[in-house]
Amino acid sequence: MPEPELIHILAFESSCDDTSVALLRAHCEDETPQLVAWSVQSQNEVHEKFGGVVPELASRAHLQNLLPCLQKVLKEGGVPLSKIDAFAATSQPGLIGCLLVGHSAAKTLSMLFSKPFLSCHHIQGHVLSVFLEHQPALPFLAAIVSGGHTSLYRVDSLDDVQPLGQTRDDALGEAYDKGAKMLGLSFPGGPELELLAQSGEPSYPFGKVKMPGLDFSFSGMKSELARLVKREGESLRRADAAASYQTALLDHLISRIEEALRLESMRTLVVVGGVARNQELRRRLDCLVSETGIIDRWIAPSPAFCTDNAAMIGVHAFRLFKRGEISDLQADVGATSRPARKSLTRSSV
Ligand code: KG4
Ligand code: ZN
């Protein structure tokens, strides 16, 4: 019997402020690929003094970081470029100048080595990131909670991902970042706000979102926090404000998740994206298993795969490859369906 063919995929992710390259391999009949090597270079140092991602600086930083990331992955993976079977890159959504860096690199390599080019969707990548380490029972509800996106999906198979709801204004991570900025914390504010909230009590009242359905809206809470900060001035109990704001954000998220689970009769929840690193969110999700009993289990990727990474793009790319959905070398990149996240215009509250 001949050995089953081994496919190698090289994936690039550069949609916002993380430059990442990953090498994955799989046999054609596999459902998901195995991660061989990957690398990520964050740009926090570039953007923190501006309190948000500066698109122009982000694109330039991608140009600087991409080749070192690629060299590291090729060295660790021990696979030469000539042995790669397909080159993949995030094509949307994201900051155009940033997307172009990874996209152009993957296209150039495809052309050079006459191998397929796979143009990938960032959000699909986030949804599929859970398959890097887990095999969740299907169907499941996927909640994407990142800096640019907050949405719910029904996942019936690796190739069947249906949207159920999304944010109408800020993404959850964006709401964390903007709230952190109001509280004088540094960028990216999510982890900082979480830390500050740990020493506070949710003693400031925040209103509940009244909007029906499975869409989210976080901008009202952001305005409430802005009013609170202004009203209290010097006497603001910052840790309590952080805890109250976080509680309001998570109450809204969890209530929508519960509603979707009920409506779709699903008992497995997958949470992906940068905010899935948040410990308070994780504690609240544990309660969905142990107290309300609405789910049997919830799963999140390890912290490194919660934030933007090329490994998740590689999983999505492998599915495209299996389905024969090869992209044209003329394929374009696409901005977000909503304005780019954390850009200076959006982060100025
Ligand atoms: O998924 P990601 O890397 O980027 C996008 O695709 O947008 O997520 C980054 C976001 C940032 O907004 C960051 O503040 C937030 O995830 N984040 C957190 C935590 N860690 C990262 N938010 C709250 N708590 C955290 N521990
Ligand atoms: Zn992302």
Side-chain angles (χ1 to χ4, degrees):
M1 275 253 294
E3 281 280 303
E5 199 190 348
L6 199 55
I7 312 286
H8 284 96
I9 291 181
L10 189 69
F12 294 86
E13 156 62 38
S14 66
S15 62
C16 190
D17 57 345
D18 291 301
T19 316
S20 183
V21 180
L23 175 67
L24 300 95
R25 75 167 158 238
H27 291 111
C28 242
E29 61 278 14
D30 291 345
E31 286 294 295
T32 52
Q34 186 198 347
L35 184 60
V36 179
W38 78 290
S39 166
V40 64
Q41 179 64 54
S42 119
Q43 303 179 4
N44 286 347
E45 284 162 23
V46 176
H47 305 290
E48 66 188 346
K49 55 181 168 295
F50 301 101
V53 174
V54 185
E56 172 74 17
L57 296 181
S59 323
R60 285 164 187 250
H62 282 306
L63 278 173
Q64 276 180 355
N65 296 338
L66 190 115
L67 290 181
C69 278
L70 175 60
Q71 278 164 332
K72 185 164 178 274
V73 166
L74 292 175
K75 192 166 170 220
E76 276 178 28
V79 179
L81 281 170
S82 57
K83 293 273 184 261
I84 305 288
D85 298 285
F87 296 93
T90 307
S91 63
Q92 58 167 316
L95 299 169
I96 293 292
C98 296
L99 288 164
L100 282 171
V101 177
H103 216 242
S104 302
K107 276 183 180 178
T108 307
L109 290 169
S110 300
M111 202 176 86
L112 202 61
F113 292 96
S114 303
K115 293 289 164 58
F117 168 59
L118 304 161
S119 184
C120 298
H121 196 283
H122 184 78
I123 307 300
Q124 289 270 344
H126 269 304
V127 172
L128 299 183
S129 64
V130 68
F131 290 99
L132 285 162
E133 304 158 293
H134 305 273
Q135 289 300 326
L138 292 157
F140 61 77
L141 178 75
I144 319 278
V145 285
S146 75
H149 313 277
T150 297
S151 30
L152 298 174
Y153 292 86
R154 180 185 170 95
V155 182
D156 282 292
S157 80
L158 280 128
D159 303 312
D160 187 359
V161 177
Q162 300 298 331
L164 297 174
Q166 61 173 333
T167 183
R168 295 198 183 171
D169 40 62
D170 292 343
L172 182 58
E174 190 177 7
Y176 263 98
D177 292 340
K178 288 177 174 176
K181 196 172 173 186
M182 287 183 235
L183 293 171
L185 302 169
S186 58
F187 172 85
E192 300 265 326
L193 194 143
E194 176 184 16
L195 198 66
L196 179 62
Q198 278 166 9
S199 56
E201 288 298 321
S203 49
Y204 288 115
F206 274 73
K208 294 256 177 275
V209 177
K210 300 224 169 60
M211 193 176 78
L214 293 179
D215 279 350
F216 299 92
S217 172
F218 295 103
S219 64
M221 295 164 220
K222 186 186 65 186
S223 307
E224 275 192 76
L225 180 64
R227 283 196 294 273
L228 178 70
V229 170
K230 196 166 171 206
R231 191 179 66 235
E232 297 291 308
E234 288 295 300
S235 51
L236 180 76
R237 303 185 309 277
R238 283 172 71 251
D240 289 353
S244 309
Y245 182 60
Q246 171 165 259
T247 301
L249 296 177
L250 296 184
D251 280 352
H252 181 42
L253 174 75
I254 301 276
S255 76
R256 289 303 197 250
I257 287 178
E258 283 185 317
E259 183 69 5
L261 287 164
R262 249 181 237 112
L263 287 171
E264 298 292 320
S265 307
M266 284 184 292
R267 301 210 37 97
T268 303
L269 171 68
V270 165
V271 185
V272 298
V275 187
R277 299 172 77 135
N278 183 286
Q279 292 305 314
E280 178 59 13
L281 171 58
R282 288 171 171 248
R283 191 190 66 73
R284 301 274 305 255
L285 295 174
D286 284 341
C287 291
L288 291 184
V289 180
S290 60
E291 287 176 21
T292 65
I294 189 167
I295 44 171
D296 299 322
R297 67 187 299 222
W298 70 272
I299 309 168
S302 333
F305 297 131
C306 281
T307 42
D308 289 349
N309 65 86
M312 68 184 196
I313 299 304
V315 179
H316 176 36
F318 178 63
R319 298 308 301 181
L320 293 174
F321 187 84
K322 265 188 89 120
R323 300 202 298 263
E325 291 181 31
I326 308 303
S327 299
D328 194 281
L329 282 180
Q330 302 302 318
D332 204 356
V333 295
T336 51
S337 43
R338 42 191 295 275
R341 72 114 163 160
K342 291 190 303 191
S343 65
L344 276 184
T345 42
R346 284 188 66 73
S347 63
S348 33
V349 199

